Amino acid sequence: ITKGEEEEWIKKYLNKEEAFTTSVVSCVGVFSKSNEIMKSVNGDANADLIRICKENGAKRFVYISAYEVENEITIPFITGYFQGKRIAEQAVQKFFPGTHGTILHPGMIYGTRIQNGLVIPLSIIGAPLEFIMNLPGFNQLRKIPILGKVTCSPPVSVHSVANCVVKAATGQLDEQYNYDNDVLNDNNEANPEFKQHHSAIVLEIPQIAACRP
């Protein structure tokens, strides 16, 4: 599919009367052997989608990005992955500023995965790891310089991510954010890892985990 065909398809869908265009959620992403492909799919494809959604009347956009997307550590074989994620996040901040745009930074997401008909229960590993990594002592490992956050941050349940997405897409997070004072009203002190950008709501692992249904 060409870039032009992609744009026409999105416009056609968003203009359908039955289409739900109030909010759009993107979890578009790819891992590949090619940094160029990862940058193109994770970045350019999402950026085009975000722009087209804005031009066609979408009011909110929720983007599922990745933890440590702002990390400056260069990992040669996945450089394109993070470059693409940053491109997409910049597009959210540009076209859906304030509480109109929400970016999620989960780490490993666990749940039930189905791959080629095979059911893979990732929660068998993910749930215990989430519990252990949040225990006193273990939760300090993420402070290890350079790779601590990447390797020692707790996984999050797919249910927490989904619930967070629904809240963001339906405006249920709006009242928690005060952009005039540049603080999170409810949980700023409780969640010091929270990052707030004037141009979009950005939720880190602790805030995503707190959305568990």
Side-chain angles (χ1 to χ4, degrees):
I1 184 170
T2 66
K3 184 173 181 179
E5 290 172 336
E6 173 194 68
E7 185 162 339
E8 287 303 313
W9 185 89
I10 296 171
K11 286 181 178 179
K12 182 179 179 180
Y13 177 77
L14 288 177
N15 286 328
K16 287 184 178 180
E17 291 182 2
E18 66 271 23
F20 180 63
T21 57
T22 300
S23 300
V24 179
V25 178
S26 174
C27 53
V28 173
V30 67
F31 270 110
S32 169
K33 295 179 181 179
S34 167
N35 274 313
E36 195 59 36
I37 289 176
M38 288 191 287
K39 181 179 178 182
S40 176
V41 175
N42 294 336
D44 298 334
N46 272 304
D48 287 341
L49 171 64
I50 293 163
R51 173 182 56 80
I52 295 167
C53 287
K54 178 64 175 180
E55 292 173 353
N56 285 271
K59 299 298 186 291
R60 299 177 185 273
F61 199 98
V62 183
Y63 174 54
I64 301 177
S65 186
Y67 190 55
E68 282 298 278
V69 72
E70 297 176 348
N71 200 320
E72 296 300 326
I73 299 173
T74 300
I75 306 176
F77 57 89
I78 58 171
T79 300
Y81 178 84
F82 289 106
Q83 288 177 335
K85 293 291 187 181
R86 284 193 286 269
I87 290 172
E89 290 193 10
Q90 290 168 3
V92 173
Q93 294 165 357
K94 176 180 179 181
F95 292 106
F96 292 90
T99 54
H100 298 287
T102 302
I103 298 167
L104 274 65
H105 282 170
M108 171 190 170
I109 301 175
Y110 66 86
T112 300
R113 182 184 181 92
I114 301 177
Q115 187 75 31
N116 297 324
L118 179 65
V119 177
I120 307 173
L122 295 176
S123 57
I124 292 178
I125 298 175
L129 275 178
E130 181 180 20
F131 176 78
I132 292 171
M133 289 300 179
N134 281 309
L135 290 174
F138 284 97
N139 60 8
Q140 300 302 308
L141 294 176
R142 68 195 71 164
K143 296 181 180 180
I144 297 174
I146 303 178
L147 292 177
K149 283 188 176 182
V150 176
T151 59
C152 300
S153 292
V156 291
S157 166
V158 66
H159 299 293
S160 296
V161 175
N163 202 42
C164 205
V165 166
V166 170
K167 287 184 176 183
T170 56
Q172 296 180 51
L173 298 179
D174 291 4
E175 292 184 1
Q176 297 181 37
Y177 295 83
N178 185 330
Y179 284 84
D180 293 333
N181 295 325
D182 196 26
V183 296
L184 180 65
N185 290 339
D186 294 336
N187 298 319
N188 194 45
E189 293 183 1
N191 295 303
E193 294 186 30
F194 169 75
K195 297 178 182 178
Q196 180 163 2
H197 298 190
H198 279 290
S199 50
I201 297 172
V202 181
L203 300 177
E204 302 295 337
I205 290 175
Q207 291 73 45
I208 298 171
C211 283
R212 184 184 297 275

